[in-house]
Amino acid sequence: MLSAALAGTGRLLLVAGEAGMGKTTLVRSLAEDARDRGAVVRWGACWEGGSLLPFAAWIDALRRPGRDLCDEVVARLGDARAGQATDAASAARARSRLFDDVVDALEREAAGRPQVVVLEDVHWADTPTLALVRRVAAHLPAMAALVAVTFRDDELDPAELAGIGGAAEWLTLTGLPEDEVAPVLAAALGREPSADEVRSVHRQTGGNPLFVTQVGRLLAAGAPATVPTGVREVLARRLARLSVACDRVLAVAAVVGTTFDVDVLVEVTGEPHDRVVAALDEAARARVAQPVESRPDRWSFVHDLVRAARYEALGAGERADLHRRLLDVLEARGHSDAGLLAHHAARARFEPGDVRPVALAVGAAQEALARLAWPEALNLCERALDAAPEGVEGDLWRAEALLAAGDARLRTGDDDEAAEAFGAAAELGRRHARWDVVARAALGFAAGLASVEVPLMEARQVALLEEAADVLDDGSPLRPLVLARLSVALSFMGADERRLQLADDAVRLARALGGPAALGAAIAARCDATAGPDHVDERLAAATEIVALAQQAGDVGLELL
């Protein structure tokens, strides 16, 4: 395109894209190439808030690089009275003559030496400036000139440049793909980023080069994760142009997350479905949100930083209220993601003494344990302990958090800290005569009620198991588990006869209570108490029964045992 323009077939290049996409970098490269090839490069820019005079960007461009483009035409463009007349018809004729004179002047200059005119940020241009772009574009094919115009297509409707005709070429800059984000991020970090860092930053920024650089600088400085100042200013301008109705819907969406469902927004906002959809359509036109492919009822922010910017703009009280309303909606809809519910509960506003956020955090911790996500489980337990209120109910939920924390710490090898957690849970159980809590604390030392491995010669475990065995009655479903575990825990402690009696009692109670997992654990304890060649046939039959019980209970750990 540049070669054709310099050879005498001029073109108009329209470079569109959101802030930070690299429009200026592109036209600067184009201008340097043109200058190297002998062209005169002229540069003008529009400014936020507009200019007091029309044609300001054109005047700047045509005056450079020297007053060599018909001083009279430039002076007339700069005259605030240009094109004014006593009636509309006279004004139109005067404006048309002025435009023709600009075209003639540019054509004369291009006949002597190719011309490149760059007009930046025309989304801030006045109407006369855009009108002159259209007039010049119509005459470019007959001259050796290129006019390059940059604008943010999320701030200027491309329809305002309609009617330009065949002389124009459009170039819309979009985000970099993930593999091209890596070198930009490396420059900001001062080192090669990891694949996870590249993936995360691409997801946050949508590949916008400016945003990638800003986020990379935060990472390099070890700063807390937040929206960089420069990015926040860009996004704030974009969000500020939205209607109040659209902004309100996006505020709720920002609390939901990067991806959100329309019907959830309807319930949380209380707005009719058609109004929510209209607000999202407006957000899509502003390049803030977009529908998810193949899911017409699901939308997403264009990238994580947009969501974060809108979320950070919320006041603390408003943010907490929205999290609470969203939590109510998700629970009413039977949402099963324990971690998500706990996330919103931790950020919601509750009445003093309400144990709901504690209960949800404990539920999420237990779910994380089932997924073997032990660090996540520990974080959730700590959150629950911090949120637990005073009183009986708060203490019992605190005990649940301690039990889960002990389990997680035991699985990560922190035996002493696990023992402290189980001991603290047992103390809360004693305080409120909740012997099931004491029993579960005792059983917790083996990281699960049906664990394959039981720690031996562990005095703290034995003491708690003895206490639980003393206080639980035969009707408790935990008693056979406690007796079975105590039988194994006493190995090598000189109590063989007692171990066998404990295992026999555990099997008897488990058969009476009817639970396959407890019965399997009890039979396994009896096998352990009857180790040696004298009981091979008995142990083989027991093992066969344990496998059947484990399969009935869906307990893979017991089946392995």
Side-chain angles (χ1 to χ4, degrees), residues 66-431:
R67 301 179 62 85
D68 58 349
L69 184 58
C70 190
D71 292 347
E72 179 190 355
V73 173
V74 173
R76 287 172 61 200
L77 281 173
D79 188 346
R81 296 169 298 175
Q84 295 182 358
T86 57
D87 60 86
S90 297
R93 287 192 295 271
R95 177 65 55 85
S96 182
R97 286 194 300 270
L98 177 59
F99 284 9
D100 287 341
D101 289 344
V102 171
V103 170
D104 291 343
L106 185 58
E107 194 170 33
R108 286 194 300 273
E109 292 297 320
R113 188 176 174 190
Q115 305 286 307
V116 172
V117 179
V118 178
L119 301 177
E120 281 210 276
D121 297 327
V122 300
H123 48 277
W124 289 322
D126 54 280
T127 300
T129 290
L130 295 177
L132 184 51
V133 170
R134 285 191 288 271
R135 177 66 68 88
V136 170
H139 295 272
L140 282 175
M143 64 178 83
L146 173 70
V147 176
V149 171
T150 72
F151 66 97
R152 299 178 188 172
D153 52 355
D154 57 338
E155 297 192 34
L156 175 69
D157 187 346
E160 295 189 42
L161 294 172
I164 287 174
E169 291 193 21
W170 292 77
L171 180 59
T172 300
L173 302 184
T174 56
L176 299 173
E178 190 172 303
D179 59 338
E180 293 183 23
V181 162
V184 179
L185 182 57
L189 289 173
R191 60 173 173 79
E192 286 300 315
S194 67
D196 285 343
E197 286 175 324
V198 172
R199 192 176 305 112
S200 173
V201 171
H202 183 266
R203 185 186 66 250
Q204 291 180 64
T205 64
N208 182 304
L210 171 65
F211 296 176
V212 171
T213 299
Q214 295 276 347
V215 171
R217 288 172 179 168
L218 280 183
L219 289 174
T226 184
V227 181
T229 302
V231 176
R232 185 184 296 111
E233 292 171 354
V234 171
L235 296 178
R237 285 198 297 268
R238 190 184 310 179
L239 293 168
R241 294 191 300 273
L242 301 172
S243 67
V244 173
C246 179
D247 184 64
R248 186 179 300 118
V249 168
L250 289 179
V252 175
V255 172
V256 176
T258 302
T259 304
F260 42 90
D261 290 340
V262 173
D263 52 355
V264 171
L265 299 186
V266 169
E267 291 190 50
V268 178
T269 63
E271 294 290 338
H273 186 274
D274 58 343
R275 290 186 185 177
V276 171
V277 171
L280 293 175
D281 287 340
E282 179 186 345
R285 291 191 297 273
R287 305 285 183 87
V288 171
Q290 59 195 5
V292 174
E293 290 185 11
S294 75
R295 285 292 303 272
D297 59 335
R298 177 163 292 180
W299 284 64
S300 70
F301 286 96
V302 291
H303 45 69
D304 286 356
L305 286 176
V306 175
R307 186 211 66 80
R310 185 62 192 91
Y311 185 82
E312 289 181 8
L314 291 169
E318 182 184 11
R319 187 183 303 171
D321 288 341
L322 287 176
H323 276 292
R324 174 62 184 272
R325 284 157 58 187
L326 176 60
L327 178 63
D328 292 341
V329 167
L330 293 177
E331 286 192 309
R333 294 165 64 89
H335 204 287
S336 60
D337 188 333
L340 181 64
L341 297 177
H343 165 82
H344 291 299
R347 292 157 178 77
R349 190 201 306 267
F350 291 91
E351 294 297 324
D354 195 329
V355 297
R356 190 171 164 203
V358 188
L360 289 170
V362 169
Q366 292 168 341
E367 189 272 339
L369 285 173
R371 291 188 285 107
L372 311 184
W374 302 317
E376 179 184 341
L378 281 173
N379 288 334
L380 287 160
C381 290
E382 291 170 3
R383 184 188 303 172
L385 291 171
D386 289 341
E390 298 299 322
V392 176
E393 194 174 9
D395 277 353
L396 294 178
W397 277 114
R398 190 177 286 108
E400 292 294 334
L402 287 165
L403 290 171
D407 195 345
R409 292 198 179 282
L410 200 62
R411 293 173 190 267
T412 54
D414 295 332
D415 293 358
D416 288 337
E417 292 189 25
E420 289 182 14
F422 290 134
E427 178 56 35
L428 289 169
R430 291 188 201 99
R431 182 184 303 173

Side-chain angles (χ1 to χ4, degrees), residues 496-519:
D496 290 347
E497 291 184 6
R498 188 182 178 211
R499 288 184 61 220
L500 183 57
Q501 183 61 56
L502 287 167
D504 284 340
D505 289 345
V507 171
R508 173 180 56 79
L509 285 174
R511 291 194 186 281
L513 294 172
L519 179 56

